[in-house]
């Protein structure tokens, strides 16, 4: 007896990624939904167990750091993929490229002429109070003018089906290893559906990442020495750091493995002696990167790294200072930045935002705290947010105080009716809210991942998808609905 | 290969070997105590001296009684050289370098640590001690077998082998030392009836008794046993054999001149030792072992200077400091936009 009955799937309240209405799968999801409906309860449970075993044997973990203890947890994963039609994805991809291009021009401008301020597109006070603007980076010219080499933009779909950019992560965005591993697990669990060739592959990301990094080398022509710099095993993303280094076939280094000599060259300590390093994919935050330039207490970084970078002897990805655009107040200006730098209309809209630094907006926010989501400008991982409709009177009062004391640091958005997608819970397919984090690589060319990392709130009704807050994830399929295009893709591969 | 990775693997192997050999050391002493009549003034205190942990021990205990000593060497997590601490350190060293060895090796180290952590407290009691110590030895041997059978012949394996052989040579000397001045009565009259028994237990603690019988084909006699354990070229746990392997592994590495020269010097001391004289004078033997251990420390220092630290101008902090500080910092620095 089958377990999943799409006629009982309650998707009326939100836009659902797979189901147009109860019993009616969207075109791109038809095959998947039919297959799931054919599965008996046993078969469904078997596939779920197979995924759990695969995750355990493949050692896909993430680290939770809480109250002084560090725990490696198995990656929470749902076997039902989320599907986006290829035709829609192509537009999204173009929009993401446009966005990252503008952001890179913007960052470069901020560290040089600051025309965007002189032309009054961005208020001077936004920059003046930016915590991620690094004066140490003024005047530096990174290769290709690119600062945010790896960008993870979060996309959400609202009730009417429109995709919005929710935020841009330009510091050291994580999650791409899970996107790749989710696909590997799903291939083992639902192999039947991959035969048709309609699901676009994701696994060229690591090769593109390597090529992008190698293209930044200050010593062109030579076989460049690329490394991944990690804060170490206690970092929550250590799994990803090790994974990417391993997949690219480069060394995974810690700060203590590197040194900068008087010649401003970065070396790594190997058993053969010192060896020159050309490109560092750093997964250590700006403030910890170089005790000479930033936090002098840091033991995670490399003394003199900024000196080497400024001298052009080493390339850093992402460039220090790129985080200036990873600010939820700057976010609100991105559509204007796209018009300003590219003279184009934004292809993907922003979520409407209220900036507490502006008096009218602030008054509106303070009057509507129970309806809005309030975010601090520079937190990550879902920390320090107020979700108005779920909040208590005390927390609203607390946020009112915080906003009044430091208006520049807060912005607010309407509570979105995030889209849902079928997710297994108690052996049944139930709607759960999702977002999507595609990764955009910027080098000589710009590449967008095919889809991205879909994060899902595993708890019924919850809107919180961050893995550090108990969210899970699922594979994301970009599906070619046009048979001719699919056939061509199979032939090409 | 990164110096840090090489150093971590080297230390992991040393810690594993140390855990195994500490178990062997406790085992030989336990058996001696059972075999010898109570009137002989043997005790547990010499084990503490032999492991070089007198200061750490006296900071916690005043009595050198059996329970305190065994607990200190097996289960005391505050004692860096206890079996439990050695395995914990092995695990921490491998954790950052998991990607260079097959996953099964990491899993085995992890499992061994967890199982010893579960049983160490109980393992201290005389009734369960033997089986506990055996399980430690067996676990370490499993790991060694796994490394032998699965890890490619490359730098990772070389550094593991360097660590293991050096620690093994060092610990074999300590086990032989159980039979030296610090443990035995100075009056040979009293000693004689039990001498063979004691040498036999030293052999057994090194799993070398049968090999000795096959090789020497004589009854167990002090000088022969000592020669066997110090100089036999074929017994895996003899000092000469460990140093021989060490020298061979070094020849696979670049820039090996200084460490190789140091190994040769120590090896010459072992090969040229006057076994008869040493066997008949516990104090001479003890002195000789002290010298060997200074030699082992010198080997470690040259390895470290050559491969692990390649810039003297950069101060290095000890492993524990780095770990605890980076633990708090990497959390603070964790702005990974998760």
């Amino acid at each position: 007896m089958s377990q999943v009955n799409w006629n009982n799937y309650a998707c009326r309240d939100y836009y659902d990624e797979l189901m147009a209405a109860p019993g009616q799968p969207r075109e791109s999801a038809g095959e998947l939904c039919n297959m799931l409906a054919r599965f008996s309860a046993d078969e469904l449970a078997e596939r779920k167990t197979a995924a759990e075993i695969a995750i355990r044997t493949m050692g896909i973990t993430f680290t939770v750091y809480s109250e002084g203890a560090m725990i490696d947890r198995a990656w929470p994963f749902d076997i039902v993929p989320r599907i986006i039609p290829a035709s829609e994805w192509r537009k999204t991809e173009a929009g993401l490229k446009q966005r990252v291009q503008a952001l890179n021009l913007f960052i470069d401008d901020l560290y040089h002429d600051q025309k965007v301020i002189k032309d009054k597109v961005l208020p001077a006070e936004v920059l003046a109070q930016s915590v991620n603007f690094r004066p140490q980076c003024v005047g530096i010219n990174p290769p290709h003018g690119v600062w945010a080499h790896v960008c993870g933009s979060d996309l959400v779909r609202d009730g009417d089906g429109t995709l919005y950019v929710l935020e841009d992560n330009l510091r050291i965005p994580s999650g791409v290893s899970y996107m790749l591993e989710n696909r590997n697990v799903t291939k083992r669990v639902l192999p039947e559906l991959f035969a048709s060739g309609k699901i676009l592959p994701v696994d060229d990301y690591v090769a593109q990442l390597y090529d992008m990094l190698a293209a930044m080398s200050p010593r062109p022509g030579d076989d460049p020495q690329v490394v991944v710099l990690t804060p170490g095993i206690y970092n929550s993303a250590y799994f990803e750091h090790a994974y990417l280094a391993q997949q690219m076939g480069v060394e995974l280094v810690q700060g203590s493995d590197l040194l900068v000599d008087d010649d401003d060259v970065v070396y790594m300590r190997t058993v053969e002696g010192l060896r020159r390093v050309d490109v560092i994919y750093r997964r250590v935050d700006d403030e910890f990167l170089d005790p000479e330039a930033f936090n002098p207490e840091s033991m995670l970084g490399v003394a003199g790294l900024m000196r080497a970078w400024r001298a052009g002897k080493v390339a850093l990805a992402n460039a220090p200072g790129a985080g200036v655009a990873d600010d939820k107040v700057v976010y609100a200006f991105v559509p204007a930045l796209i018009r300003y730098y590219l003279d184009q209309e934004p292809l993907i809209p922003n979520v409407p935002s209220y900036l507490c630094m502006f008096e009218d907006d602030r008054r509106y926010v303070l009057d509507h705290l129970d309806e809005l989501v309030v975010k601090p400008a520079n937190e990550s991982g879902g920390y320090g947010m107020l979700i108005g409709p779920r909040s208590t009177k005390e927390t609203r009062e607390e946020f009112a105080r915080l906003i009044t004391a430091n208006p520049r640091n807060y912005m607010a958005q309407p509570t979105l009716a995030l889209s849902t997608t079928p997710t297994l819970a108690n052996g049944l397919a139930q709607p759960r809210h999702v977002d999507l984090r595609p990764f955009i690589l910027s080098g000589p060319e710009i590449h967008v991942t095919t889809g991205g990392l879909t994060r899902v709130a595993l708890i019924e009704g919850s809107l919180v998808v961050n893995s550090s807050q108990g969210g899970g994830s699922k594979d994301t399929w970009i599906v070619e609905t046009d048979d001719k295009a699919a056939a061509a893709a199979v032939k090409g591969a | 290969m990164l110096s840090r990775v090489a150093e971590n693997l080297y230390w992991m192997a040393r810690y594993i070997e140390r855990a195994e050999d500490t178990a062997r050391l406790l085992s030989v002493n336990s058996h001696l105590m059972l075999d010898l009549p109570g009137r002989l003034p043997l005790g547990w205190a010499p084990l503490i001296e032999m492991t070089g942990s007198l200061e750490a021990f006296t900071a916690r205990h005043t009595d050198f009684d059996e329970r305190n000593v065994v607990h200190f060497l097996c289960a005391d997590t505050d004692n860096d050289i206890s079996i439990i601490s050695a395995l914990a350190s092995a695990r921490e060293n491998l954790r950052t370098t998991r990607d260079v060895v097959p996953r099964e090796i990491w899993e085995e180290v992890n499992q061994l640590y967890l199982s010893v952590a579960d049983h160490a407290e109980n393992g201290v009691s005389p009734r369960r001690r033997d089986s506990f110590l055996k399980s430690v030895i067996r676990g370490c041997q499993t790991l060694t077998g796994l490394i032998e059978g699965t890890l490619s012949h490359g730098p990772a394996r070389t550094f593991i082998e360097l660590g293991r052989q050096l620690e093994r040579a060092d610990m074999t000397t300590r086990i032989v030392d159980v039979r030296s001045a610090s443990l035995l009565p100075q009056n040979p009259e009293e000693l004689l009836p039990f001498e063979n028994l004691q040498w036999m237990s030293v052999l057994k603690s090194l799993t070398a008794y049968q090999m000795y019988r096959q090789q020497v084909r004589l009854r167990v006699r002090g000088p022969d046993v000592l020669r066997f354990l110090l100089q036999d070229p074929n017994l895996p746990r003899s000092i000469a054999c460990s140093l021989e392997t060490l020298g061979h592994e070094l020849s696979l590495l670049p820039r090996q001149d200084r460490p190789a020269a140091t190994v040769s010097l120590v090896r010459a001391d072992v090969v040229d030792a006057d076994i008869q004289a040493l066997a008949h004078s516990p104090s001479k033997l003890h002195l000789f072992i002290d010298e060997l251990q200074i030699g082992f420390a010198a080997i470690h220092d040259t390895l470290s200077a050559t491969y692990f630290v390649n810039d003297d101008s950069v101060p290095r902090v000890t492993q524990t400091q780095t770990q605890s500080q980076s633990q708090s910092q990497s959390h603070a620095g964790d702005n990974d936009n998760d």
Side-chain angles (χ1 to χ4, degrees), chain A residues 39-224:
Chain A
F39 282 170
S40 68
D42 281 351
E43 206 168 354
L44 198 62
E46 214 174 90
R47 307 261 176 161
K48 191 168 166 1
T49 310
E52 279 158 16
I53 292 170
I55 285 167
R56 201 163 56 231
T57 55
M58 291 158 82
I60 311 170
T61 59
F62 77 107
T63 304
V64 181
Y65 187 97
S66 61
E67 290 162 17
M70 192 196 54
I71 314 146
D72 258 356
R73 290 210 185 131
W75 178 241
F77 175 78
D78 179 68
I79 64 167
V80 184
R82 177 256 191 92
I83 293 178
I84 300 171
S87 52
E88 180 188 12
W89 187 248
R90 280 189 273 272
K91 287 174 211 150
T92 311
E93 198 181 333
L96 290 167
K97 285 182 178 173
Q98 176 194 52
R99 195 168 175 100
V100 168
Q101 224 180 332
L103 284 168
N104 271 311
L105 289 167
F106 168 66
I107 301 167
D108 203 54
D109 185 19
L110 284 189
Y111 289 114
H112 291 91
D113 302 336
Q114 304 196 344
K115 283 190 291 218
V116 70
I117 305 222
K118 288 170 193 150
D119 291 342
K120 301 201 181 333
V121 178
L122 185 83
E125 56 190 301
V126 172
L127 181 64
Q129 292 182 45
S130 165
V131 296
N132 286 316
F133 180 80
R134 308 265 172 249
Q136 297 91 334
C137 299
V138 170
I140 292 182
N141 293 301
H144 319 297
V146 174
W147 293 72
H149 304 89
V150 183
C151 171
S153 291
D154 290 344
L155 301 179
V156 292
R157 207 193 284 277
D158 197 12
D160 63 359
T162 312
L163 271 180
Y164 292 93
V165 176
L166 182 66
E167 63 181 55
D168 303 292
N169 295 294
L170 301 153
R171 283 176 282 181
I172 39 177
S174 69
V176 76
S177 58
Y178 299 113
M179 175 193 88
L180 298 167
E181 291 288 60
N182 285 352
R183 175 59 56 88
N184 286 332
V185 173
T186 308
K187 276 181 174 168
R188 292 190 191 192
V189 176
L190 303 171
E192 301 92 330
L193 289 168
F194 286 87
S196 67
K198 290 181 179 170
I199 304 161
L200 302 187
V202 295
D203 47 16
D204 48 356
Y205 177 80
V206 176
Q208 283 167 353
L209 175 64
Y210 181 83
D211 289 349
M212 180 201 78
L213 293 170
M216 297 163 65
S217 172
R219 292 189 301 169
D222 288 343
D223 186 19

Side-chain angles (χ1 to χ4, degrees), chain B residues 222-280:
Chain B
D224 294 319
V225 176
L226 198 55
R227 178 174 296 115
F228 190 59
L229 295 179
L230 287 180
Q231 297 175 338
D232 189 272
N234 302 314
L235 177 75
R237 311 194 84 82
S238 84
I239 317 272
C241 192
S242 290
L243 292 174
E244 179 69 34
T245 314
L246 201 58
H248 170 71
E249 290 294 334
L250 266 175
S251 71
L252 305 173
L253 291 176
R255 309 190 297 141
Q256 83 280 44
D257 313 14
R258 280 188 58 227
T262 318
V263 172
S264 296
L265 287 176
V266 181
R267 208 170 133 249
D269 282 346
V270 174
V271 176
D272 299 342
D274 180 350
I275 299 293
Q276 287 294 336
L278 293 175
H280 291 104

Side-chain angles (χ1 to χ4, degrees), chain A residues 470-491:
Chain A
S473 79
K474 43 173 68 209
D475 195 11
T476 309
W477 290 358
I478 305 301
V479 168
E480 203 71 75
T481 43
D482 177 352
D483 284 338
K484 263 189 226 153
V490 171
K491 238 187 244 165

Side-chain angles (χ1 to χ4, degrees), chain A residues 172 237 257 285 299 380 437, chain B residues 1 3-4 325 335-337:
Chain A
I172 39 177
D257 298 324
D285 247 23
M299 286 180 57
S380 63
R437 177 178 291 182
Chain B
M1 160 168 268
S3 295
R4 170 179 53 86
Q325 193 176 349
N335 216 333
D336 221 20
N337 294 166

Side-chain angles (χ1 to χ4, degrees), chain A residues 350-362:
Chain A
N350 261 19
V351 177
S353 303
Y354 303 94
L355 299 182
C356 298
M357 58 186 285
F358 297 133
E359 208 188 325
D360 289 352
D361 283 18
R362 180 166 69 244

